[in-house]
Amino acid sequence: MKALLIEDTLTSATLVSHQLRKMGIEPILARDGERGIELFKAERPDLILLDIIMPGMDGFEVARRIRQLEQAGEWTPIIFLTARTSDADLEKGISVGGDDYLIKPVSETVLAAKVKAMQRIAQMRYSLLVLTRKLDDANQELTRLSSLDGLTGISNRRQFDEILLREWRRSGRQAKPLSILLCDVDHFKQFNDGYGHQVGDECLKAVARTLQSALRRPADLVSRYGGEEFAAILPDTDLPGALRVAEVMRSAVEGLRITHRFTPNGVVTVSIGVASMVPPRGEADSAGLLKRADDALYGAKQSGRNRISATPIESVA
C-alpha cells in the first residue's frame, strides 16, 4: 500500500513517514501542492495525507484538483493533517473532497486507526464495485438471452419485432427498400407427429442454422417467428435481391436432405413469402409489409410448397 504525504514541514513529514512505515505503508513525499498533484497522477496512491497550509497552492485546492482528476468510479481517501482547528476549516476540508480531518500533532494510535478505517471503507467500496460489475454483466447476459429463441439459439420474435421497427424507421428516413421473408417448414406437423417432438426439435435447429448461414451481411437478421415459422429482415434490399436470398435459403434447406416420408418430396423443405418496399411517409409501422409477406407465403403453400412467392413489386410501391 502506498500513501501520498503532501507536507511542507520537514519535521512533520519525517514523523508521519516513520509512522506510516511502521504500519507497513510506503510513504511518497511531496513538499508542495503542485508536486503532490504530479505524484498523484504518476503513482496513483491508495491514500493521501494532506496538509492545508503550504506555500503556493493550499491543501483545499490540492484536494479539489485531485478529485477532478479521478475517473468515474475511482476514489482515493484523503485525510487532512493540519494545525487549523476551526469548524469552518473542517467543513471546507470535507466539502472540497476530504474524508477525514486530523489536528496536528497526530498520535500514532489515532493515525493508525484512521488509516485502518479508510482501508476498510476502500475495501468495502471495491467489493461493491466488483458486485456491481457482476450484476451489470448478469443483466447484459439476461438481456442477450431474452432476445434469443430457447430452442434454436437464433433471434426470437421479440428481437425480430424490435429490429423490424428500427429498420422500418431508418429505411423510411433514408428512402431505402426494406425486405421481409416469412418462411414455413413444409408439412411440419406431420413430421413432428411421425418422428416425435425430439426429432422435430432437431429439425428446427438444423433449419435455423441453415437459414442463418444464408445471410451474409451483419445487418441482416433471421429469427424464429413462431412454431415452425422463421422470418428474415433484409435492410437496404430490393425485391430482386430478397428473392435471391430466399432462393439460397430454400435450396440450402432442401440440400440438408432431412428425411420426411410424409411429404411428396421425401425431404424437409420450406416455403418462403417475400415482400419488399420503401416505407412510405406517414405509415407508422410495418404491418402492411408483414401482411404482404404473409400473403406471399400463403401463395407459396397454395402453389405446392418448397417454393418462393413474392408480392408483385407494383402493389407495394
Side-chain angles (χ1 to χ4, degrees):
M1 181 177 182
K2 297 184 296 185
L4 174 59
L5 175 59
I6 308 175
E7 168 66 76
D8 68 314
T9 304
L10 181 59
T11 302
S12 179
T14 302
L15 176 61
V16 174
S17 295
H18 176 70
Q19 293 173 339
L20 290 172
R21 290 192 182 94
K22 289 181 68 175
M23 290 180 245
I25 299 172
E26 176 191 350
I28 303 168
L29 181 60
R31 300 295 297 275
D32 59 62
E34 293 286 355
R35 180 58 178 163
I37 292 173
E38 291 176 5
L39 286 174
F40 172 77
K41 291 188 288 187
E43 299 288 341
R44 290 294 173 173
D46 304 291
L47 172 70
I48 298 171
L49 300 171
L50 176 59
D51 192 11
I52 292 178
I53 304 172
M54 293 184 294
M57 187 187 307
D58 67 18
F60 294 134
E61 181 61 22
V62 173
R64 185 182 293 109
R65 294 195 186 185
I66 285 174
R67 290 300 184 222
Q68 291 173 348
L69 289 170
E70 290 177 325
Q71 302 297 315
E74 292 181 341
W75 174 70
T76 308
I78 296 177
I79 300 177
F80 281 107
L81 302 178
T82 179
R84 298 173 71 164
T85 61
S86 72
D87 291 348
D89 286 326
L90 186 152
E91 180 183 23
K92 184 174 182 181
I94 300 302
S95 68
V96 298
D99 299 293
D100 210 335
Y101 192 97
L102 301 181
I103 306 301
K104 294 191 290 188
V106 181
S107 75
E108 184 175 335
T109 301
V110 171
L111 180 61
K114 295 295 186 177
V115 169
K116 287 180 181 178
M118 290 299 161
Q119 288 176 312
R120 189 177 300 122
I121 293 171
Q123 182 58 47
M124 291 173 61
R125 189 174 184 278
Y126 174 76
S127 298
L128 182 59
L129 287 173
V130 170
L131 178 60
T132 300
R133 291 192 186 102
K134 289 181 178 178
L135 288 173
D136 287 342
D137 291 343
N139 285 332
Q140 290 177 15
E141 180 64 9
L142 285 173
T143 299
R144 186 187 71 83
L145 291 175
S146 71
S147 69
L148 299 180
D149 176 60
L151 175 65
T152 63
I154 65 173
S155 297
N156 59 16
R157 176 66 179 272
R158 172 185 173 184
Q159 178 80 342
F160 173 85
D161 291 340
E162 291 177 357
I163 298 299
L164 179 57
L165 178 60
R166 186 182 72 195
E167 292 297 339
W168 175 265
R169 291 172 175 171
R170 187 188 65 81
S171 297
R173 288 193 305 269
Q174 299 179 1
K176 292 185 176 180
L178 175 65
S179 294
I180 295 292
L181 312 182
L182 290 183
C183 173
D184 187 80
V185 180
D186 296 326
H187 302 292
F188 184 73
K189 184 179 185 305
Q190 293 91 324
F191 184 93
N192 220 23
D193 292 343
Y195 295 103
H197 293 287
Q198 186 173 355
V199 177
D201 287 349
E202 292 304 316
C203 173
L204 291 176
K205 291 178 185 178
V207 170
R209 290 193 297 268
T210 302
L211 296 178
Q212 191 167 51
S213 68
L215 303 181
R216 294 290 181 265
R217 303 178 305 172
D220 297 340
L221 179 80
V222 64
S223 305
R224 189 178 180 192
Y225 198 65
E228 68 272 20
E229 286 190 321
F230 298 87
I233 302 171
L234 306 177
D236 302 338
T237 304
D238 57 14
L239 187 59
L243 288 170
R244 287 192 293 271
V245 174
E247 174 54 27
V248 170
M249 289 180 168
R250 186 209 63 77
S251 177
V253 171
E254 186 177 32
L256 291 173
R257 311 306 295 175
I258 299 174
T259 301
H260 189 348
R261 67 177 183 269
F262 306 103
T263 180
N265 296 300
V267 295
V268 169
T269 58
V270 293
S271 299
I272 303 176
V274 183
S276 180
M277 66 188 300
V278 175
R281 291 183 179 274
E283 194 162 331
D285 58 50
S286 59
L289 180 60
L290 280 169
K291 176 65 166 57
R292 293 179 177 107
D294 192 55
D295 290 344
L297 175 59
Y298 179 78
K301 291 180 179 179
Q302 290 297 104
S303 300
R305 293 184 169 85
N306 190 26
R307 64 194 62 210
I308 299 163
S309 178
T311 303
I313 188 67
E314 53 270 17
S315 70
V316 299

